[in-house]
Amino acid sequence: MHNPLLEQFVHVYKKYFGDFADFVIDVGTRDGEDAEFLRSSLNAKHVIAIDANPLAIEETTLRYPEFTIIESAISNYDGTTKFVQIISDKEDEAGSSSIENFSFFEGATYNTIEVPVKKMSTIIENLGLQQNIIDVIKVDIEGYTHEFLEGLGSYINNVKIFHLETETFYRHFQHKTNNHIINFMTNAGFLLSNVQYQWGEGIQDQIWINPRYITAYGEGS
């Protein structure tokens, strides 16, 4: 798979943290391909793939049964929520399924279903990872990155590097844009390493590093 966005992310990880990872978490995994790219590129031992869309879970399970696969939306509370499922032969359209959706793709089918929703802190605790260092978290959940970060809580300090999809426009009611994410991550002590615009100026992908874990490698190594 040739994905310049993730290739740059892997480059940044290796620059600061080396060639190996224990835990990779892909939130909004779609079909598991990005998670597999990160696993193979970083020689990761454990992959946790999360998605709210039952169709995405089915596809990821079929392709990568060795992953730990969790069917849930991720936000800042535990419970259930309405979810707009987009059914399309085009993976980018299907991947736009979200808790709220304002996109329209001609020829796609839209189903509103109820799905579980969990805080990321709840998932970490359910998996018994409270004391583990999480090497990589990639988040692509269509406008709910800030809610993900709120729900991660103090476990944010256990993460070496984040790849966060953010938006420069307001995608839904109470949506927090890219600048809100920058404020949140800066206040949490993270360093913004890189921004990219794979999908145009409206979508800003941010790479954040945790300076607490820069030891043997580090900038310039």
Side-chain angles (χ1 to χ4, degrees), residues 106-119:
E106 187 175 353
T109 299
Y110 294 78
N111 296 325
T112 299
I113 60 177
E114 188 170 278
V115 300
V117 57
K118 291 184 175 66
K119 296 181 293 185

Side-chain angles (χ1 to χ4, degrees), residues 202-219:
I203 305 294
Q204 183 185 82
D205 290 283
Q206 302 174 355
I207 299 174
W208 291 90
I209 60 173
N210 190 339
R212 302 171 184 87
Y213 297 106
I214 300 175
T215 53
Y217 293 89
E219 189 170 4

Side-chain angles (χ1 to χ4, degrees), residues 1-11 26 29-38 41 91-92 138 140 163 165 196-199 205 207:
M1 179 184 71
H2 178 68
N3 186 327
L5 201 69
L6 287 185
E7 288 174 356
Q8 176 63 26
F9 180 64
V10 167
H11 172 76
D26 186 17
T29 195
R30 191 181 66 188
D31 52 19
E33 285 189 0
D34 288 352
E36 171 58 19
F37 177 81
L38 293 172
S41 299
E91 61 180 21
D92 292 335
K138 172 183 168 288
D140 182 356
H163 184 290
E165 183 184 80
Q196 296 171 293
Y197 294 89
Q198 183 182 22
W199 306 108
D205 290 283
I207 299 174

Side-chain angles (χ1 to χ4, degrees), residues 55-75:
L55 296 176
I57 293 296
E58 181 180 349
E59 182 69 18
T60 303
T61 302
L62 180 65
R63 294 188 184 194
Y64 308 108
E66 69 276 16
F67 290 178
T68 298
I69 299 172
I70 297 173
E71 184 175 341
S72 182
I74 303 297
S75 190

Side-chain angles (χ1 to χ4, degrees), residues 35-206:
E36 171 58 19
F37 177 81
L38 293 172
R39 184 207 63 78
S40 62
S41 299
L42 298 175
N43 305 290
K45 296 179 182 178
H46 308 284
V47 176
I48 300 164
I50 304 170
D51 207 289
N53 190 343
L55 296 176
I57 293 296
E58 181 180 349
E59 182 69 18
T60 303
T61 302
L62 180 65
R63 294 188 184 194
Y64 308 108
E66 69 276 16
F67 290 178
T68 298
I69 299 172
I70 297 173
E71 184 175 341
S72 182
I74 303 297
S75 190
N76 52 10
Y77 66 97
D78 295 327
T80 60
T81 187
K82 299 296 183 182
F83 183 84
V84 181
Q85 180 187 63
I86 302 174
I87 300 175
S88 171
D89 293 334
K90 299 177 181 178
E91 61 180 21
D92 292 335
E93 294 182 2
S96 296
S97 301
S98 181
I99 292 175
E100 293 184 48
N101 190 283
F102 298 100
S103 302
F104 177 77
F105 302 110
E106 187 175 353
T109 299
Y110 294 78
N111 296 325
T112 299
I113 60 177
E114 188 170 278
V115 300
V117 57
K118 291 184 175 66
K119 296 181 293 185
M120 194 65 214
S121 61
T122 300
I123 288 178
I124 287 173
E125 290 163 3
N126 287 346
L127 293 173
L129 300 179
Q130 298 96 315
Q131 305 303 319
N132 289 88
I133 295 172
I134 298 168
D135 300 274
V136 172
I137 294 186
K138 172 183 168 288
V139 181
D140 182 356
I141 50 176
E142 308 301 317
Y144 283 85
T145 296
H146 199 275
E147 287 82 353
F148 160 85
L149 292 170
E150 291 174 334
L152 181 58
S154 63
Y155 297 120
I156 193 171
N157 297 317
N158 297 2
V159 183
K160 289 183 179 179
I161 188 170
F162 285 93
H163 184 290
L164 303 177
E165 183 184 80
T166 73
E167 296 78 24
T168 62
F169 59 97
Y170 289 94
R171 187 163 192 141
H172 58 79
F173 181 63
Q174 294 185 333
H175 174 249
K176 303 296 193 300
T177 64
N178 61 313
N179 289 326
H180 291 94
I181 305 302
I182 289 173
N183 290 337
F184 189 104
M185 295 299 289
T186 300
N187 289 336
F190 280 73
L191 302 177
L192 181 60
S193 171
N194 193 277
V195 296
Q196 296 171 293
Y197 294 89
Q198 183 182 22
W199 306 108
E201 294 183 358
I203 305 294
Q204 183 185 82
D205 290 283
Q206 302 174 355

